[in-house]
Amino acid sequence: MDKQHIKGAMDKAKGAAKDAVGKVTGDDRMQAEGKMDKAKGEARQAVGDVKDAVRKSTR
């Protein structure tokens, strides 16, 4: 696990919280920000997966 995985997990958690709060309060902007944060987190985790695969293949 590298920094990208950790940052991705943090972004996904932050995004899920914003999405939930936005949904409960009816704040469409916050909900959209939450969805963007979740997508950013998933992308970072994908980058981390690629880095892990490269490291494993070069061993």
Side-chain angles (χ1 to χ4, degrees):
M1 184 176 272
D2 66 356
K3 291 179 185 179
Q4 293 300 323
H5 282 113
I6 295 167
K7 287 179 182 179
M10 288 174 40
D11 284 340
K12 284 175 66 175
K14 179 175 72 171
K18 281 184 176 180
D19 188 17
V21 169
K23 193 178 287 185
V24 169
T25 62
D27 187 345
D28 292 336
R29 185 174 184 176
M30 182 175 284
Q31 193 173 2
E33 285 178 15
K35 289 180 184 197
M36 289 297 294
D37 286 343
K38 284 196 283 187
K40 185 169 78 170
E42 290 172 10
R44 282 188 189 226
Q45 285 187 323
V47 168
D49 291 343
V50 169
K51 285 183 177 182
D52 284 348
V54 168
R55 274 192 216 114
K56 287 180 184 177
S57 69
T58 59
R59 288 184 187 173

